[in-house]
Amino acid sequence: MTALRLFDSPREAAEACGAAILEALDAARSERGRARLAVSGGTTPRIMFEWMARQAFDWSRVDLFWVDERCVPIDDAQSNYRMTRESLLDAIGGAAIGGAAIHRVRTEFPPEEAARLYVEEIRASFGLRPGELPEFDVVQRGMGPDKHTASLFPGEPLIENETDIAAAVWVEKFGQHRVTLLPGVLKNARATYNLVTGADKAVALREVFSGDSSALESPAKIASPGTIWFVDGAAFPAGLP
Ligand code: 6PG
Protein backbone atom coordinates (compact mmCIF):
# COMPACT_ATOMS: atom_id res chain seq x y z
CA MET A 1 0.00 0.00 0.00
CA THR A 2 1.39 3.41 -1.01
CA ALA A 3 -0.15 6.53 0.45
CA LEU A 4 0.49 10.19 -0.15
CA ARG A 5 0.12 13.00 2.36
CA LEU A 6 0.03 16.51 0.87
CA PHE A 7 1.11 19.58 2.87
CA ASP A 8 1.12 23.30 2.22
CA SER A 9 4.82 23.80 2.86
CA PRO A 10 8.13 21.93 3.04
CA ARG A 11 8.22 22.58 6.77
CA GLU A 12 4.81 21.01 7.39
CA ALA A 13 5.73 18.00 5.26
CA ALA A 14 9.06 17.61 7.08
CA GLU A 15 7.51 17.89 10.54
CA ALA A 16 4.78 15.39 9.68
CA CYS A 17 7.39 12.96 8.36
CA GLY A 18 9.47 13.43 11.51
CA ALA A 19 6.42 12.82 13.70
CA ALA A 20 5.56 9.65 11.79
CA ILE A 21 9.13 8.39 12.24
CA LEU A 22 9.11 8.98 16.02
CA GLU A 23 5.70 7.32 16.34
CA ALA A 24 6.86 4.28 14.38
CA LEU A 25 10.08 4.01 16.42
CA ASP A 26 8.11 4.16 19.68
CA ALA A 27 5.78 1.41 18.48
CA ALA A 28 8.64 -0.78 17.26
CA ARG A 29 10.52 -0.42 20.53
CA SER A 30 7.38 -1.31 22.52
CA GLU A 31 6.72 -4.37 20.37
CA ARG A 32 10.25 -5.67 19.80
CA GLY A 33 12.48 -4.02 22.37
CA ARG A 34 14.51 -2.02 19.88
CA ALA A 35 13.78 0.18 16.87
CA ARG A 36 15.91 0.50 13.77
CA LEU A 37 15.82 3.56 11.53
CA ALA A 38 17.68 4.34 8.31
CA VAL A 39 17.72 7.98 7.23
CA SER A 40 18.70 9.73 4.03
CA GLY A 41 20.86 12.73 3.41
CA GLY A 42 20.86 15.52 0.90
CA THR A 43 19.20 18.76 1.96
CA THR A 44 15.48 18.04 2.45
CA PRO A 45 15.70 16.12 5.73
CA ARG A 46 17.61 18.84 7.62
CA ILE A 47 14.49 20.69 8.84
CA MET A 48 12.93 17.33 9.71
CA PHE A 49 15.91 16.37 11.87
CA GLU A 50 15.92 19.81 13.53
CA TRP A 51 12.22 19.36 14.43
CA MET A 52 12.84 15.80 15.70
CA ALA A 53 15.66 17.09 17.88
CA ARG A 54 13.26 19.51 19.59
CA GLN A 55 10.82 16.76 20.58
CA ALA A 56 10.84 15.14 24.00
CA PHE A 57 11.63 11.74 22.49
CA ASP A 58 13.43 8.88 24.29
CA TRP A 59 16.20 7.82 21.89
CA SER A 60 17.32 4.84 23.96
CA ARG A 61 17.07 1.47 22.24
CA VAL A 62 17.05 3.08 18.80
CA ASP A 63 19.65 2.06 16.22
CA LEU A 64 20.37 4.73 13.60
CA PHE A 65 21.67 3.84 10.13
CA TRP A 66 21.99 5.72 6.84
CA VAL A 67 20.25 4.76 3.59
CA ASP A 68 23.30 5.97 1.74
CA GLU A 69 26.47 7.95 2.22
CA ARG A 70 28.85 9.88 0.04
CA CYS A 71 32.39 8.50 0.23
CA VAL A 72 33.82 11.67 1.74
CA PRO A 73 35.31 12.44 5.16
CA ILE A 74 32.72 12.71 7.93
CA ASP A 75 33.45 16.42 8.33
CA ASP A 76 32.99 17.09 4.62
CA ALA A 77 30.07 19.40 3.71
CA GLN A 78 28.73 16.61 1.47
CA SER A 79 28.66 14.02 4.25
CA ASN A 80 25.15 12.76 5.07
CA TYR A 81 26.44 11.74 8.49
CA ARG A 82 27.66 15.30 9.10
CA MET A 83 24.26 16.75 8.14
CA THR A 84 22.48 14.37 10.52
CA ARG A 85 25.01 15.04 13.26
CA GLU A 86 24.62 18.82 12.90
CA SER A 87 20.80 18.80 12.73
CA LEU A 88 19.91 15.92 15.08
CA LEU A 89 22.66 14.12 16.94
CA ASP A 90 24.46 17.15 18.39
CA ALA A 91 21.11 18.57 19.53
CA ILE A 92 19.87 15.41 21.28
CA GLY A 93 23.29 14.72 22.79
CA GLY A 94 25.43 11.68 22.12
CA ALA A 95 24.35 10.00 25.35
CA ALA A 96 20.70 10.09 24.29
CA ILE A 97 21.17 7.54 21.56
CA GLY A 98 24.51 6.09 22.54
CA GLY A 99 27.57 5.85 20.36
CA ALA A 100 27.13 2.15 19.67
CA ALA A 101 23.66 2.80 18.26
CA ILE A 102 24.96 5.18 15.61
CA HIS A 103 25.92 3.05 12.63
CA ARG A 104 27.53 5.39 10.14
CA VAL A 105 29.22 4.28 6.94
CA ARG A 106 32.94 4.31 7.70
CA THR A 107 34.05 6.48 4.81
CA GLU A 108 37.57 6.67 6.16
CA PHE A 109 38.00 3.37 4.32
CA PRO A 110 37.95 2.94 0.52
CA PRO A 111 34.40 2.56 -0.89
CA GLU A 112 34.38 -1.24 -1.29
CA GLU A 113 35.81 -1.75 2.22
CA ALA A 114 33.40 0.83 3.70
CA ALA A 115 30.52 -1.06 2.09
CA ARG A 116 31.79 -4.41 3.39
CA LEU A 117 32.15 -3.04 6.91
CA TYR A 118 28.69 -1.49 6.73
CA VAL A 119 27.12 -4.78 5.69
CA GLU A 120 28.96 -6.51 8.54
CA GLU A 121 27.68 -3.92 11.02
CA ILE A 122 24.10 -4.30 9.77
CA ARG A 123 24.32 -8.08 9.97
CA ALA A 124 25.67 -7.91 13.52
CA SER A 125 23.12 -5.36 14.70
CA PHE A 126 20.15 -7.26 13.28
CA GLY A 127 21.60 -10.69 14.11
CA LEU A 128 21.16 -11.83 10.53
CA ARG A 129 21.84 -15.31 9.19
CA PRO A 130 23.76 -15.56 5.89
CA GLY A 131 21.54 -14.46 3.02
CA GLU A 132 19.01 -12.80 5.30
CA LEU A 133 18.02 -9.18 4.71
CA PRO A 134 17.48 -6.64 7.52
CA GLU A 135 13.95 -5.44 8.21
CA PHE A 136 14.23 -1.78 9.19
CA ASP A 137 11.32 -0.44 11.19
CA VAL A 138 11.53 2.82 9.25
CA VAL A 139 13.46 3.82 6.14
CA GLN A 140 13.27 7.53 5.44
CA ARG A 141 14.09 8.35 1.84
CA GLY A 142 14.24 11.28 -0.52
CA MET A 143 14.10 11.58 -4.27
CA GLY A 144 16.20 13.54 -6.71
CA PRO A 145 14.75 15.46 -9.68
CA ASP A 146 16.08 12.57 -11.79
CA LYS A 147 13.93 10.09 -9.79
CA HIS A 148 16.90 8.56 -7.96
CA THR A 149 16.53 7.46 -4.37
CA ALA A 150 19.21 6.37 -1.93
CA SER A 151 22.26 6.36 -4.19
CA LEU A 152 20.45 4.34 -6.85
CA PHE A 153 20.41 6.47 -9.98
CA PRO A 154 18.48 5.67 -13.17
CA GLY A 155 20.12 2.88 -15.14
CA GLU A 156 22.24 1.66 -12.20
CA PRO A 157 22.48 -2.17 -12.47
CA LEU A 158 22.37 -2.47 -8.67
CA ILE A 159 18.68 -1.52 -8.92
CA GLU A 160 18.12 -5.14 -9.89
CA ASN A 161 20.08 -6.53 -6.94
CA GLU A 162 17.45 -7.73 -4.48
CA THR A 163 19.67 -10.14 -2.54
CA ASP A 164 22.54 -8.08 -1.13
CA ILE A 165 22.34 -5.59 1.71
CA ALA A 166 24.51 -2.67 0.60
CA ALA A 167 27.17 -1.88 -1.95
CA ALA A 168 29.64 0.74 -3.10
CA VAL A 169 28.51 2.50 -6.25
CA TRP A 170 30.14 4.98 -8.63
CA VAL A 171 27.84 7.92 -9.38
CA GLU A 172 29.01 9.30 -12.72
CA LYS A 173 26.71 12.31 -12.41
CA PHE A 174 28.59 13.54 -9.38
CA GLY A 175 31.96 11.93 -10.06
CA GLN A 176 31.67 10.35 -6.67
CA HIS A 177 31.67 6.95 -4.96
CA ARG A 178 28.88 6.26 -2.51
CA VAL A 179 27.68 3.41 -0.32
CA THR A 180 23.98 2.61 -0.56
CA LEU A 181 21.41 0.20 0.77
CA LEU A 182 20.11 -1.99 -2.02
CA PRO A 183 16.56 -2.59 -3.30
CA GLY A 184 15.97 -5.83 -1.41
CA VAL A 185 16.52 -4.00 1.88
CA LEU A 186 14.44 -0.99 0.80
CA LYS A 187 11.54 -3.28 -0.17
CA ASN A 188 11.84 -5.17 3.11
CA ALA A 189 11.24 -2.13 5.34
CA ARG A 190 8.24 -2.24 7.65
CA ALA A 191 7.63 1.42 6.80
CA THR A 192 9.10 3.71 4.16
CA TYR A 193 8.58 7.44 4.56
CA ASN A 194 9.53 9.46 1.47
CA LEU A 195 10.00 13.15 2.13
CA VAL A 196 9.89 15.03 -1.17
CA THR A 197 9.35 18.79 -1.45
CA GLY A 198 10.03 21.59 -3.89
CA ALA A 199 9.03 22.44 -7.44
CA ASP A 200 12.18 20.84 -8.82
CA LYS A 201 10.73 17.43 -7.87
CA ALA A 202 7.29 17.88 -9.50
CA VAL A 203 8.03 16.29 -12.89
CA ALA A 204 9.81 13.35 -11.28
CA LEU A 205 7.03 12.83 -8.74
CA ARG A 206 4.38 12.77 -11.43
CA GLU A 207 6.33 10.12 -13.33
CA VAL A 208 6.87 8.03 -10.21
CA PHE A 209 3.17 8.14 -9.32
CA SER A 210 1.57 7.87 -12.72
CA GLY A 211 4.19 6.99 -15.29
CA ASP A 212 4.77 3.49 -16.57
CA SER A 213 8.56 3.63 -16.25
CA SER A 214 10.37 0.81 -14.52
CA ALA A 215 12.27 1.04 -11.26
CA LEU A 216 15.45 0.89 -13.34
CA GLU A 217 14.35 4.14 -15.01
CA SER A 218 12.69 5.56 -11.88
CA PRO A 219 14.41 4.12 -8.78
CA ALA A 220 12.15 6.18 -6.48
CA LYS A 221 9.41 3.71 -7.45
CA ILE A 222 11.09 1.11 -5.23
CA ALA A 223 8.62 0.71 -2.37
CA SER A 224 7.97 -1.35 0.73
CA PRO A 225 4.49 -2.42 1.94
CA GLY A 226 4.05 0.58 4.25
CA THR A 227 5.18 3.41 1.97
CA ILE A 228 3.94 6.93 2.68
CA TRP A 229 4.98 10.00 0.68
CA PHE A 230 5.16 13.29 2.55
CA VAL A 231 5.05 15.99 -0.13
CA ASP A 232 4.32 19.70 -0.41
CA GLY A 233 2.18 21.46 -3.00
CA ALA A 234 5.19 22.64 -4.98
CA ALA A 235 6.28 19.04 -5.61
CA PHE A 236 2.70 17.98 -6.31
CA PRO A 237 1.18 21.04 -8.04
CA ALA A 238 -1.83 19.66 -9.81
CA GLY A 239 -2.35 16.39 -7.98
CA LEU A 240 -2.42 13.09 -9.76
CA PRO A 241 -3.91 12.84 -13.27
C1 6PG B 1 21.81 11.63 -0.94
C2 6PG B 1 20.45 11.16 -0.53
C3 6PG B 1 19.59 11.16 -1.75
C4 6PG B 1 18.59 12.27 -1.52
C5 6PG B 1 18.12 12.85 -2.82
C6 6PG B 1 17.32 14.13 -2.58
O1 6PG B 1 22.81 11.11 -0.43
O2 6PG B 1 21.84 12.59 -1.73
O3 6PG B 1 20.36 10.12 0.24
O4 6PG B 1 18.97 10.00 -2.07
O5 6PG B 1 17.51 11.78 -0.76
O6 6PG B 1 19.28 13.16 -3.59
O7 6PG B 1 18.21 15.09 -2.10
P1 6PG B 1 17.70 16.54 -1.66
O8 6PG B 1 16.96 16.36 -0.38
O9 6PG B 1 18.98 17.33 -1.47
O10 6PG B 1 16.84 17.06 -2.77
Side-chain angles (χ1 to χ4, degrees), residues 74-101:
I74 58 172
D75 59 357
D76 187 295
Q78 291 197 64
S79 165
N80 287 338
Y81 167 77
R82 173 177 160 178
M83 189 271 280
T84 311
R85 182 181 54 73
E86 288 174 340
S87 55
L88 176 62
L89 299 179
D90 287 351
I92 66 173
I97 194 167

PDB file of all heavy atoms in Angstrom, residues 74-101:
ATOM      1  N   ILE A  74      33.964  12.439   7.188  1.00  0.00           N
ATOM      2  CA  ILE A  74      32.718  12.711   7.930  1.00  0.00           C
ATOM      3  C   ILE A  74      32.549  14.193   8.265  1.00  0.00           C
ATOM      4  O   ILE A  74      31.469  14.609   8.671  1.00  0.00           O
ATOM      5  CB  ILE A  74      32.631  11.879   9.220  1.00  0.00           C
ATOM      6  CG1 ILE A  74      33.820  12.150  10.156  1.00  0.00           C
ATOM      7  CG2 ILE A  74      32.478  10.405   8.908  1.00  0.00           C
ATOM      8  CD1 ILE A  74      33.675  11.497  11.517  1.00  0.00           C
ATOM      9  N   ASP A  75      33.603  14.972   8.084  1.00  0.00           N
ATOM     10  CA  ASP A  75      33.445  16.423   8.333  1.00  0.00           C
ATOM     11  C   ASP A  75      33.310  17.194   7.026  1.00  0.00           C
ATOM     12  O   ASP A  75      33.285  18.425   7.007  1.00  0.00           O
ATOM     13  CB  ASP A  75      34.627  16.965   9.145  1.00  0.00           C
ATOM     14  CG  ASP A  75      35.959  16.745   8.432  1.00  0.00           C
ATOM     15  OD1 ASP A  75      35.958  16.117   7.343  1.00  0.00           O
ATOM     16  OD2 ASP A  75      36.993  17.184   8.978  1.00  0.00           O
ATOM     17  N   ASP A  76      33.168  16.453   5.920  1.00  0.00           N
ATOM     18  CA  ASP A  76      32.986  17.094   4.616  1.00  0.00           C
ATOM     19  C   ASP A  76      31.564  17.645   4.502  1.00  0.00           C
ATOM     20  O   ASP A  76      30.625  17.020   5.007  1.00  0.00           O
ATOM     21  CB  ASP A  76      33.243  16.057   3.510  1.00  0.00           C
ATOM     22  CG  ASP A  76      33.246  16.660   2.117  1.00  0.00           C
ATOM     23  OD1 ASP A  76      32.175  17.146   1.671  1.00  0.00           O
ATOM     24  OD2 ASP A  76      34.312  16.655   1.485  1.00  0.00           O
ATOM     25  N   ALA A  77      31.403  18.782   3.853  1.00  0.00           N
ATOM     26  CA  ALA A  77      30.070  19.398   3.713  1.00  0.00           C
ATOM     27  C   ALA A  77      29.106  18.462   2.986  1.00  0.00           C
ATOM     28  O   ALA A  77      27.889  18.591   3.130  1.00  0.00           O
ATOM     29  CB  ALA A  77      30.176  20.718   2.976  1.00  0.00           C
ATOM     30  N   GLN A  78      29.605  17.511   2.224  1.00  0.00           N
ATOM     31  CA  GLN A  78      28.729  16.606   1.475  1.00  0.00           C
ATOM     32  C   GLN A  78      28.347  15.358   2.272  1.00  0.00           C
ATOM     33  O   GLN A  78      27.564  14.529   1.813  1.00  0.00           O
ATOM     34  CB  GLN A  78      29.415  16.177   0.182  1.00  0.00           C
ATOM     35  CG  GLN A  78      29.575  17.291  -0.845  1.00  0.00           C
ATOM     36  CD  GLN A  78      29.874  16.687  -2.195  1.00  0.00           C
ATOM     37  OE1 GLN A  78      29.035  15.975  -2.759  1.00  0.00           O
ATOM     38  NE2 GLN A  78      31.075  16.924  -2.688  1.00  0.00           N
ATOM     39  N   SER A  79      28.910  15.231   3.467  1.00  0.00           N
ATOM     40  CA  SER A  79      28.657  14.016   4.247  1.00  0.00           C
ATOM     41  C   SER A  79      27.229  13.986   4.791  1.00  0.00           C
ATOM     42  O   SER A  79      26.788  14.918   5.469  1.00  0.00           O
ATOM     43  CB  SER A  79      29.639  13.962   5.431  1.00  0.00           C
ATOM     44  OG  SER A  79      29.219  13.017   6.379  1.00  0.00           O
ATOM     45  N   ASN A  80      26.509  12.909   4.508  1.00  0.00           N
ATOM     46  CA  ASN A  80      25.148  12.757   5.065  1.00  0.00           C
ATOM     47  C   ASN A  80      25.221  12.598   6.581  1.00  0.00           C
ATOM     48  O   ASN A  80      24.364  13.100   7.319  1.00  0.00           O
ATOM     49  CB  ASN A  80      24.431  11.555   4.434  1.00  0.00           C
ATOM     50  CG  ASN A  80      24.028  11.837   3.004  1.00  0.00           C
ATOM     51  OD1 ASN A  80      23.905  12.991   2.593  1.00  0.00           O
ATOM     52  ND2 ASN A  80      23.829  10.784   2.228  1.00  0.00           N
ATOM     53  N   TYR A  81      26.275  11.886   7.034  1.00  0.00           N
ATOM     54  CA  TYR A  81      26.436  11.735   8.492  1.00  0.00           C
ATOM     55  C   TYR A  81      26.595  13.115   9.137  1.00  0.00           C
ATOM     56  O   TYR A  81      25.967  13.428  10.141  1.00  0.00           O
ATOM     57  CB  TYR A  81      27.658  10.863   8.808  1.00  0.00           C
ATOM     58  CG  TYR A  81      28.058  10.929  10.257  1.00  0.00           C
ATOM     59  CD1 TYR A  81      27.340  10.234  11.224  1.00  0.00           C
ATOM     60  CD2 TYR A  81      29.119  11.737  10.676  1.00  0.00           C
ATOM     61  CE1 TYR A  81      27.677  10.327  12.568  1.00  0.00           C
ATOM     62  CE2 TYR A  81      29.463  11.839  12.015  1.00  0.00           C
ATOM     63  CZ  TYR A  81      28.735  11.138  12.957  1.00  0.00           C
ATOM     64  OH  TYR A  81      29.055  11.253  14.286  1.00  0.00           O
ATOM     65  N   ARG A  82      27.437  13.963   8.519  1.00  0.00           N
ATOM     66  CA  ARG A  82      27.664  15.302   9.097  1.00  0.00           C
ATOM     67  C   ARG A  82      26.344  16.081   9.190  1.00  0.00           C
ATOM     68  O   ARG A  82      26.048  16.711  10.218  1.00  0.00           O
ATOM     69  CB  ARG A  82      28.675  16.078   8.257  1.00  0.00           C
ATOM     70  CG  ARG A  82      28.817  17.526   8.717  1.00  0.00           C
ATOM     71  CD  ARG A  82      29.861  18.313   7.971  1.00  0.00           C
ATOM     72  NE  ARG A  82      29.596  19.751   8.127  1.00  0.00           N
ATOM     73  CZ  ARG A  82      30.357  20.712   7.619  1.00  0.00           C
ATOM     74  NH1 ARG A  82      31.451  20.407   6.937  1.00  0.00           N
ATOM     75  NH2 ARG A  82      30.050  21.982   7.792  1.00  0.00           N
ATOM     76  N   MET A  83      25.540  16.005   8.125  1.00  0.00           N
ATOM     77  CA  MET A  83      24.263  16.747   8.138  1.00  0.00           C
ATOM     78  C   MET A  83      23.358  16.251   9.253  1.00  0.00           C
ATOM     79  O   MET A  83      22.756  17.036   9.995  1.00  0.00           O
ATOM     80  CB  MET A  83      23.570  16.600   6.780  1.00  0.00           C
ATOM     81  CG  MET A  83      22.351  17.486   6.576  1.00  0.00           C
ATOM     82  SD  MET A  83      20.812  16.681   7.154  1.00  0.00           S
ATOM     83  CE  MET A  83      20.475  15.610   5.778  1.00  0.00           C
ATOM     84  N   THR A  84      23.311  14.926   9.441  1.00  0.00           N
ATOM     85  CA  THR A  84      22.478  14.367  10.518  1.00  0.00           C
ATOM     86  C   THR A  84      23.064  14.713  11.886  1.00  0.00           C
ATOM     87  O   THR A  84      22.337  15.017  12.835  1.00  0.00           O
ATOM     88  CB  THR A  84      22.384  12.828  10.380  1.00  0.00           C
ATOM     89  OG1 THR A  84      22.043  12.493   9.041  1.00  0.00           O
ATOM     90  CG2 THR A  84      21.329  12.275  11.326  1.00  0.00           C
ATOM     91  N   ARG A  85      24.387  14.703  11.973  1.00  0.00           N
ATOM     92  CA  ARG A  85      25.013  15.041  13.257  1.00  0.00           C
ATOM     93  C   ARG A  85      24.686  16.491  13.635  1.00  0.00           C
ATOM     94  O   ARG A  85      24.258  16.783  14.751  1.00  0.00           O
ATOM     95  CB  ARG A  85      26.523  14.861  13.185  1.00  0.00           C
ATOM     96  CG  ARG A  85      27.238  15.154  14.507  1.00  0.00           C
ATOM     97  CD  ARG A  85      28.734  14.995  14.421  1.00  0.00           C
ATOM     98  NE  ARG A  85      29.338  15.769  13.340  1.00  0.00           N
ATOM     99  CZ  ARG A  85      29.483  17.107  13.369  1.00  0.00           C
ATOM    100  NH1 ARG A  85      28.995  17.792  14.389  1.00  0.00           N
ATOM    101  NH2 ARG A  85      30.069  17.749  12.385  1.00  0.00           N
ATOM    102  N   GLU A  86      24.857  17.382  12.649  1.00  0.00           N
ATOM    103  CA  GLU A  86      24.624  18.819  12.905  1.00  0.00           C
ATOM    104  C   GLU A  86      23.167  19.096  13.275  1.00  0.00           C
ATOM    105  O   GLU A  86      22.879  19.916  14.141  1.00  0.00           O
ATOM    106  CB  GLU A  86      24.975  19.634  11.661  1.00  0.00           C
ATOM    107  CG  GLU A  86      26.465  19.728  11.393  1.00  0.00           C
ATOM    108  CD  GLU A  86      26.743  20.418  10.053  1.00  0.00           C
ATOM    109  OE1 GLU A  86      25.838  20.470   9.193  1.00  0.00           O
ATOM    110  OE2 GLU A  86      27.878  20.896   9.881  1.00  0.00           O
ATOM    111  N   SER A  87      22.229  18.424  12.593  1.00  0.00           N
ATOM    112  CA  SER A  87      20.803  18.796  12.733  1.00  0.00           C
ATOM    113  C   SER A  87      20.063  17.957  13.753  1.00  0.00           C
ATOM    114  O   SER A  87      18.990  18.338  14.222  1.00  0.00           O
ATOM    115  CB  SER A  87      20.101  18.705  11.373  1.00  0.00           C
ATOM    116  OG  SER A  87      20.282  17.421  10.815  1.00  0.00           O
ATOM    117  N   LEU A  88      20.626  16.787  14.118  1.00  0.00           N
ATOM    118  CA  LEU A  88      19.911  15.924  15.075  1.00  0.00           C
ATOM    119  C   LEU A  88      20.802  15.473  16.222  1.00  0.00           C
ATOM    120  O   LEU A  88      20.521  15.743  17.390  1.00  0.00           O
ATOM    121  CB  LEU A  88      19.346  14.703  14.345  1.00  0.00           C
ATOM    122  CG  LEU A  88      18.652  13.641  15.212  1.00  0.00           C
ATOM    123  CD1 LEU A  88      17.425  14.214  15.917  1.00  0.00           C
ATOM    124  CD2 LEU A  88      18.272  12.417  14.376  1.00  0.00           C
ATOM    125  N   LEU A  89      21.892  14.802  15.895  1.00  0.00           N
ATOM    126  CA  LEU A  89      22.663  14.122  16.939  1.00  0.00           C
ATOM    127  C   LEU A  89      23.292  15.094  17.937  1.00  0.00           C
ATOM    128  O   LEU A  89      23.230  14.886  19.150  1.00  0.00           O
ATOM    129  CB  LEU A  89      23.726  13.228  16.291  1.00  0.00           C
ATOM    130  CG  LEU A  89      23.178  12.120  15.390  1.00  0.00           C
ATOM    131  CD1 LEU A  89      24.303  11.307  14.783  1.00  0.00           C
ATOM    132  CD2 LEU A  89      22.207  11.219  16.157  1.00  0.00           C
ATOM    133  N   ASP A  90      23.860  16.172  17.456  1.00  0.00           N
ATOM    134  CA  ASP A  90      24.463  17.145  18.389  1.00  0.00           C
ATOM    135  C   ASP A  90      23.389  17.727  19.305  1.00  0.00           C
ATOM    136  O   ASP A  90      23.611  17.938  20.501  1.00  0.00           O
ATOM    137  CB  ASP A  90      25.160  18.283  17.621  1.00  0.00           C
ATOM    138  CG  ASP A  90      26.462  17.813  16.977  1.00  0.00           C
ATOM    139  OD1 ASP A  90      26.884  16.675  17.273  1.00  0.00           O
ATOM    140  OD2 ASP A  90      27.032  18.584  16.177  1.00  0.00           O
ATOM    141  N   ALA A  91      22.190  17.916  18.758  1.00  0.00           N
ATOM    142  CA  ALA A  91      21.114  18.567  19.534  1.00  0.00           C
ATOM    143  C   ALA A  91      20.550  17.625  20.599  1.00  0.00           C
ATOM    144  O   ALA A  91      20.247  18.035  21.723  1.00  0.00           O
ATOM    145  CB  ALA A  91      20.003  19.010  18.593  1.00  0.00           C
ATOM    146  N   ILE A  92      20.442  16.329  20.272  1.00  0.00           N
ATOM    147  CA  ILE A  92      19.866  15.410  21.282  1.00  0.00           C
ATOM    148  C   ILE A  92      20.943  14.946  22.249  1.00  0.00           C
ATOM    149  O   ILE A  92      20.654  14.361  23.283  1.00  0.00           O
ATOM    150  CB  ILE A  92      19.151  14.202  20.634  1.00  0.00           C
ATOM    151  CG1 ILE A  92      20.127  13.294  19.887  1.00  0.00           C
ATOM    152  CG2 ILE A  92      18.013  14.662  19.753  1.00  0.00           C
ATOM    153  CD1 ILE A  92      19.484  12.005  19.380  1.00  0.00           C
ATOM    154  N   GLY A  93      22.200  15.140  21.893  1.00  0.00           N
ATOM    155  CA  GLY A  93      23.286  14.722  22.788  1.00  0.00           C
ATOM    156  C   GLY A  93      23.670  13.280  22.547  1.00  0.00           C
ATOM    157  O   GLY A  93      22.806  12.401  22.452  1.00  0.00           O
ATOM    158  N   GLY A  94      24.946  13.029  22.437  1.00  0.00           N
ATOM    159  CA  GLY A  94      25.428  11.681  22.117  1.00  0.00           C
ATOM    160  C   GLY A  94      24.913  10.629  23.080  1.00  0.00           C
ATOM    161  O   GLY A  94      24.581   9.522  22.684  1.00  0.00           O
ATOM    162  N   ALA A  95      24.764  11.001  24.356  1.00  0.00           N
ATOM    163  CA  ALA A  95      24.351   9.999  25.351  1.00  0.00           C
ATOM    164  C   ALA A  95      22.905   9.556  25.112  1.00  0.00           C
ATOM    165  O   ALA A  95      22.509   8.446  25.464  1.00  0.00           O
ATOM    166  CB  ALA A  95      24.476  10.590  26.746  1.00  0.00           C
ATOM    167  N   ALA A  96      22.130  10.417  24.456  1.00  0.00           N
ATOM    168  CA  ALA A  96      20.698  10.093  24.288  1.00  0.00           C
ATOM    169  C   ALA A  96      20.531   8.824  23.473  1.00  0.00           C
ATOM    170  O   ALA A  96      19.728   7.953  23.785  1.00  0.00           O
ATOM    171  CB  ALA A  96      19.991  11.248  23.596  1.00  0.00           C
ATOM    172  N   ILE A  97      21.340   8.713  22.432  1.00  0.00           N
ATOM    173  CA  ILE A  97      21.171   7.536  21.559  1.00  0.00           C
ATOM    174  C   ILE A  97      22.290   6.540  21.794  1.00  0.00           C
ATOM    175  O   ILE A  97      22.160   5.362  21.560  1.00  0.00           O
ATOM    176  CB  ILE A  97      21.093   7.982  20.080  1.00  0.00           C
ATOM    177  CG1 ILE A  97      20.589   6.847  19.187  1.00  0.00           C
ATOM    178  CG2 ILE A  97      22.424   8.520  19.584  1.00  0.00           C
ATOM    179  CD1 ILE A  97      20.201   7.293  17.800  1.00  0.00           C
ATOM    180  N   GLY A  98      23.409   7.015  22.259  1.00  0.00           N
ATOM    181  CA  GLY A  98      24.513   6.088  22.545  1.00  0.00           C
ATOM    182  C   GLY A  98      25.364   5.850  21.321  1.00  0.00           C
ATOM    183  O   GLY A  98      24.842   5.525  20.248  1.00  0.00           O
ATOM    184  N   GLY A  99      26.662   5.979  21.504  1.00  0.00           N
ATOM    185  CA  GLY A  99      27.574   5.853  20.362  1.00  0.00           C
ATOM    186  C   GLY A  99      27.399   4.555  19.593  1.00  0.00           C
ATOM    187  O   GLY A  99      27.410   4.533  18.375  1.00  0.00           O
ATOM    188  N   ALA A 100      27.198   3.463  20.348  1.00  0.00           N
ATOM    189  CA  ALA A 100      27.127   2.149  19.674  1.00  0.00           C
ATOM    190  C   ALA A 100      25.880   2.019  18.816  1.00  0.00           C
ATOM    191  O   ALA A 100      25.797   1.142  17.959  1.00  0.00           O
ATOM    192  CB  ALA A 100      27.137   1.039  20.730  1.00  0.00           C
ATOM    193  N   ALA A 101      24.914   2.910  19.021  1.00  0.00           N
ATOM    194  CA  ALA A 101      23.661   2.797  18.259  1.00  0.00           C
ATOM    195  C   ALA A 101      23.715   3.634  16.991  1.00  0.00           C
ATOM    196  O   ALA A 101      22.776   3.637  16.204  1.00  0.00           O
ATOM    197  CB  ALA A 101      22.498   3.249  19.132  1.00  0.00           C
TER     198      ALA A 101
END
